[in-house]
Amino acid sequence: RAKAEGRNAFQLYQPAMNARSLEHLALESALHRALERDELVLHFQPLVEIAGGRTVAAEALLRWRHPELGLVSPADFIPLAEETGLIVPIGEWVLRTACLQHRRWRELGHANLRMLVNISARQFRDDNLADLVARVVHETAMPAGLLTLELTESMLMENSSRGIDVLERLRRLGVRLALDDFGTGYSSLAYLKRFPIDELKIDRLFIRDIERNPEDAAIADAIVKLAHSLGLRVVAEGVESAAQLDILARHGCDLAQGYHFCRPVEAAQFPL
Ligand code: C2E
Ligand code: MG
Ligand code: MG
Ligand code: MG
């Protein structure tokens, strides 16, 4: 039985699987080496206070300078890094590198700038996350209050009581917490007040058509009101035009981030 069926299955299935898994393996070992070979880089995108127009924070965004492929975007390799667990050492590198960059900016006199760092689901599931953050903050002399970790709703929903526990441990270190891509996940509003979160980032999905689509404008408005009533600050992601910014200003949104101000850039180009 095994012979007949197995052989057919083998012949029909094997070539495609081979190609896929080979590609996967090649990328995986390249990603392994990326860390050792210094191919990872952070870009930074400003967060701007809507009222005053000041840059008050930087979000660290990871890129991979692949020797042949060029600059690879995180959407193309973070899923693989998650799947293989490589995101754990990579995430540690991101956190440390962002904190070290922040120290350089502090040394240049930007004492109040905040730094935002994305945390992946796998990192969040890792029981060592709070210890890791504590260690890196200590080693890099990062003022914890200026560090914000970005999480997503789905990460918190996965296991909410454990989630709250981790968030509270992080909060005790003095770091701040933001919910990234807000509105795209489960958006269980009841949970919002249970999670010790400081900031909501409205996903770019709701900002994109905010001028033309009254529903998107209503959603953005509702998120701002809800956030403010819970004492949270609100960031609009993906702001690409003055018209969008104008609407967000009228809704009382606190901060904005997007190509309208600046694309993610290398530290040396960061507009301070
Ligand atoms: P995110 O954290 O929601 O980051 C915002 C993404 O929107 C970034 O894409 C940024 O370049 C892009 N963006 C900013 N302004 C605009 C705009 O005005 N228009 C448009 N169309 N896009 C804009 P990026 O850098 O490709 O990152 C994609 C995602 O990859 C991030 O989404 C985040 O979830 C993840 N990521 C990036 N860096 C890291 C990291 O260091 N660790 C982890 N775990 N995830 C990361
Ligand atoms: Mg983010
Ligand atoms: Mg986002
Ligand atoms: Mg995201």
Side-chain angles (χ1 to χ4, degrees):
R1 189 207 66 122
K3 205 172 177 184
E5 250 185 36
R7 182 172 285 170
N8 277 338
F10 186 84
Q11 283 171 346
L12 287 172
Y13 202 52
Q14 195 70 2
M17 236 185 57
N18 249 340
R20 272 235 321 267
S21 50
L22 268 180
E23 197 180 294
H24 198 271
L25 268 179
L27 204 62
E28 184 183 333
S29 66
L31 191 55
H32 249 292
R33 292 191 309 263
L35 202 53
E36 300 155 16
R37 292 185 182 173
D38 257 355
E39 292 171 2
L40 298 181
V41 281
L42 289 186
H43 282 185
F44 299 91
Q45 189 179 36
L47 277 76
V48 176
E49 216 161 44
I50 294 181
R54 272 191 326 135
T55 291
V56 293
E59 179 176 359
L61 293 159
L62 182 60
R63 273 93 184 96
W64 178 11
R65 270 189 215 290
H66 189 285
E68 280 112 45
L69 302 174
L71 212 58
V72 185
S73 91
D76 294 328
F77 69 90
I78 288 198
L80 177 66
E82 280 263 303
E83 196 184 307
T84 56
L86 277 171
I87 194 67
V88 174
I90 290 175
E92 176 170 350
W93 179 88
V94 168
L95 183 63
R96 178 168 287 109
T97 306
C99 290
L100 289 172
Q101 181 56 52
H102 191 270
R103 186 158 82 188
R104 274 174 232 128
W105 281 330
R106 281 202 310 284
E107 284 162 2
L108 293 173
H110 305 289
N112 301 317
L113 190 76
R114 290 197 292 129
M115 178 65 82
L116 286 76
V117 174
N118 291 283
I119 300 294
S120 80
R122 176 91 173 232
Q123 284 175 283
F124 191 70
R125 259 183 254 124
D126 189 331
D127 284 326
N128 298 317
L129 179 65
D131 290 338
L132 169 75
V133 173
R135 182 157 44 81
V136 172
V137 158
H138 177 76
E139 286 168 3
T140 61
M142 178 75 192
L146 295 179
L147 177 64
T148 297
L149 303 179
E150 296 193 6
L151 312 157
T152 62
E153 295 156 274
S154 36
M155 282 157 61
L156 302 183
M157 294 307 150
E158 208 173 87
N159 178 347
S160 67
S161 58
R162 183 189 169 274
I164 290 173
D165 211 57
V166 177
L167 295 185
E168 274 164 359
R169 285 181 65 200
L170 291 169
R171 263 296 211 57
R172 280 199 293 276
L173 300 174
V175 305
R176 298 161 55 119
L177 304 167
L179 272 188
D180 201 358
D181 309 333
F182 189 74
T184 60
Y186 294 86
S187 299
S188 169
L189 301 180
Y191 277 99
L192 258 189
K193 71 165 196 219
R194 288 181 48 205
F195 292 121
I197 292 288
D198 302 282
E199 205 157 58
L200 294 186
K201 299 186 78 175
I202 307 178
D203 194 78
R204 148 169 121 239
L205 192 70
F206 305 107
I207 308 301
R208 201 178 47 206
D209 298 319
I210 200 168
E211 294 161 75
R212 290 173 296 277
N213 187 332
E215 278 136 25
D216 286 343
I219 289 171
D221 187 37
I223 294 176
V224 172
K225 288 202 171 86
L226 169 77
H228 284 171
S229 71
L230 294 171
L232 312 178
R233 301 228 295 169
V234 193
V235 184
E237 299 193 275
V239 176
E240 294 187 354
S241 72
Q244 292 170 339
L245 184 63
D246 216 58
I247 295 172
L248 291 160
R250 269 186 272 135
H251 290 322
C253 186
D254 304 290
L255 303 171
Q257 179 178 2
Y259 297 169
H260 173 63
F261 302 100
C262 187
R263 289 182 176 255
V265 290
E266 288 176 32
Q269 266 77 56
F270 190 79
L272 277 169

